Amino acid sequence: MDARDTEPPVVRPLGKSRNRVGATRRWWALPAVSAAQLLVVLDGTVVNIALPSAQRALGMSDGSRQWVVTAYALAFGGLLLIGGRVGSALGHRRTFVLGLVGFALGGAAGNPETLFAARALQGVFAAVLAPAGLSLLMLTFTEPRQRGRALGVFAAVGAAGSAIGLIAGGLLTEYAGWRWCLYINVPVALLAVLGTALVPADRPHRGEGRLDITGALLSAVGFAAVVYAFAEAEPHGWGSAKVLVPLAAGVLLLAAFVVAESRAPHPLLPLRVLLHRARAGALIAITLMFVAMFGFYLFMSYYTQTVLDWSPVESGLALIINASAALLGSTLVAGRLHGRVAPALLILPGLVTAAVGVLVLTRLTGSSTDVLPLYLTPALVLTGLGLGCVLPPTAAMATSDVQPRDVGAASAAYHAAQQLGAALGTALLNTVAATATASYGASAGRGTSAAASVHGYTTALSVAFGILLTAACVVAPLIMTRPLRRSRT
């Protein structure tokens, strides 16, 4: 039996009051949820450029500075599934407001330990906020055309958020100070809270029995262990015990989590959410897209600053091209075509377009000239368009046609796939680049010259190109043969 056939068909509107909610008031959900999505994505990258300044100001050691980034990633990734369950139990709008509160923290930290704790707490609130925001959007917009437009804007913010974080981090650090990379959360969160006051409330689903404690512990510790292993692969290498031990432990714990969920009377993540063919295809697509794209962003930053000698601000501003292309792809293409064409006709071309963009950069050499018009601009435009075309339909496929009580779990699974892909992409492709650079330098006798560095980058980007093509081939039979039905209004 196909897992799809065991599910009730659709997510229904928020209640009878939905029809009495004016269109203007309903659209207030979009800027509120988009602002929250910006916070979640931006906080994953905004501190990267500010990290050297924060290290000097607080006296952090080289070995501990990574925890400014890792503390957020571990808490966010490890608690996402629990965050989805909290949203279903408390109501997604109430949980959404609760999650926004945590982003006012961190800027006043006076020592490294306080900053690490504040970043971890931000990750906790992000794990609650992210699935609640997407769930609220899916429950608010049930008409296909409106949902397509809303998801287009939401996806554009998500696609551009990482680039905006790098840009904002450079500008704020240079002109206002590193603490403003954390203080900037306060006005954005405040605006989102004010907008939420006009969003129609949803009905909590509290008849789910007691919290699945076993599943919660296994998912939190297992996912955090995997993310930690990926983060440690960059400084220590994949053969290090600091990587292999937590990676093996994480995989075993997640396997135990799947077994536990199959037997739990009220599972944290019902397996029916994952066993739907089209939904599984959407989750695979977004995971592999993020593996490739986060490697792409990493090497754009490295190449422009270490080879072209651009400043952090200049490097960040170049990503405006990518952010603009993502905005066009998600709103003018994917947003307008949602409900008019099959999701596969957006996802598969999007993956291929992004792959071509990555392929452009593999042609770079240490002596390439006119790199901005000939290489960087085409690559930034194509990857942005591809990402913009993939995000809205995958978000819709991952969260549509589920029971109302499962919307939070489906949203959490979607965000967990993104988080896992980003962590794996950064670690995996950075390791490939470092190995290729060292090998080239040793064989050519030139140490770590620009040519060796560029060879490392292009080798890693060739792997990213292969990952995107593989993603298109793997997900095609899943999303083309079992398309999701449209939601009924």
Side-chain angles (χ1 to χ4, degrees):
M1 178 182 294
D2 184 14
R4 184 185 64 177
D5 299 329
T6 66
E7 300 181 9
V10 295
V11 173
R12 301 199 178 273
L14 298 179
K16 294 182 179 180
S17 63
R18 164 58 60 83
N19 294 327
R20 299 194 295 270
V21 177
T24 301
R25 179 176 177 181
R26 182 183 303 181
W27 281 99
W28 272 102
L30 183 56
V33 173
S34 296
Q37 175 71 355
L38 178 62
L39 282 177
V40 170
V41 180
L42 182 146
D43 267 52
T45 59
V46 69
V47 299
N48 289 14
I49 292 178
L51 194 52
S53 298
Q55 181 180 3
R56 290 192 297 269
L58 299 181
M60 278 185 272
S61 67
D62 290 343
S64 65
R65 65 185 177 187
Q66 65 166 323
W67 284 101
V68 176
V69 177
T70 304
Y72 178 83
L74 289 179
F76 183 26
L79 298 175
L80 264 170
L81 295 180
I82 299 175
R85 175 62 187 274
V86 169
S88 295
L90 298 182
H92 297 296
R93 190 179 74 167
R94 186 180 301 169
T95 306
F96 182 79
V97 174
L98 174 66
L100 288 168
V101 174
F103 283 89
L105 305 169
N111 56 65
E113 291 74 22
T114 303
L115 181 58
F116 300 155
R119 287 287 289 167
L121 195 55
Q122 283 182 334
V124 172
F125 281 95
V128 173
L129 180 63
L134 181 55
S135 299
L136 198 60
L137 202 66
M138 297 299 293
L139 292 169
T140 301
F141 298 97
T142 57
E143 192 276 322
R145 188 168 297 182
Q146 289 187 351
R147 176 175 286 183
R149 294 173 182 170
L151 283 174
V153 174
F154 175 81
V157 173
S162 296
I164 292 172
L166 294 173
I167 296 167
L171 292 173
L172 290 171
T173 301
E174 185 164 341
Y175 298 112
W178 69 268
R179 293 183 185 276
W180 280 97
C181 292
L182 297 168
Y183 286 143
I184 193 63
N185 292 329
V186 178
V188 178
L190 179 60
L191 289 174
V193 169
L194 294 176
T196 306
L198 296 176
V199 176
D202 61 309
R203 185 181 300 110
H205 294 276
R206 293 171 178 164
E208 296 296 302
R210 300 180 63 181
L211 176 64
D212 176 15
I213 299 296
T214 301
L217 291 175
L218 288 173
S219 67
V221 179
F223 202 99
V226 171
V227 173
Y228 176 79
F230 290 160
E232 289 296 299
E234 183 175 349
H236 298 293
W238 287 96
S240 170
K242 292 185 177 181
V243 175
L244 294 178
V245 171
L247 182 59
V251 170
L252 290 174
L253 287 170
L254 291 178
F257 168 71
V258 172
V259 174
E261 295 305 275
S262 67
R263 300 176 178 177
H266 304 288
L268 186 69
L269 178 61
L271 295 186
R272 60 180 175 267
V273 172
L274 301 179
L275 294 179
H276 192 294
R277 289 174 64 97
R279 188 172 298 115
L283 294 175
I284 293 171
I286 201 61
T287 300
L288 295 180
M289 171 63 92
F290 269 58
V291 170
M293 286 305 300
F294 269 72
F296 172 81
Y297 290 138
L298 179 69
F299 297 121
M300 276 294 301
S301 177
Y302 283 171
Y303 176 74
T304 54
Q305 293 185 58
T306 62
V307 177
L308 301 183
D309 200 28
W310 290 6
S311 70
V313 174
E314 291 172 328
S315 178
L317 289 175
L319 292 174
I320 290 178
I321 300 172
N322 181 267
S324 300
L327 177 65
L328 292 175
S330 59
T331 55
L332 298 184
V333 180
R336 290 192 174 186
L337 293 179
H338 181 82
R340 299 181 181 180
V341 302
L345 296 181
L346 292 169
I347 296 172
L348 299 179
L351 290 169
V352 173
T353 300
V356 174
V358 171
L359 182 63
V360 170
L361 289 188
T362 65
R363 312 309 300 169
L364 281 170
T365 66
S367 58
S368 296
T369 58
D370 296 324
V371 294
L372 184 60
L374 296 180
Y375 298 95
L376 299 189
T377 298
L380 289 166
V381 169
L382 291 171
T383 54
L385 285 173
L387 183 61
C389 288
V390 169
L391 279 171
T394 54
M397 293 180 76
T399 53
S400 295
D401 292 349
V402 295
Q403 301 177 43
R405 66 177 182 270
D406 290 340
V407 174
S411 299
Y414 183 72
H415 282 285
Q418 292 180 335
Q419 183 72 8
L420 187 63
L424 176 58
T426 301
L428 174 63
L429 297 180
N430 190 66
T431 303
V432 171
T435 302
T437 298
S439 176
Y440 182 93
S443 63
R446 289 186 289 235
T448 57
S449 64
S453 296
V454 173
H455 174 74
Y457 303 155
T458 56
T459 300
L461 290 170
S462 297
V463 174
F465 169 74
I467 289 171
L468 289 169
L469 288 187
T470 300
C473 294
V474 169
V475 305
L478 297 176
I479 63 178
M480 293 181 69
T481 58
R482 298 284 184 176
L484 287 170
R485 299 179 295 276
R486 289 187 188 178
S487 296
R488 296 194 296 265
T489 56

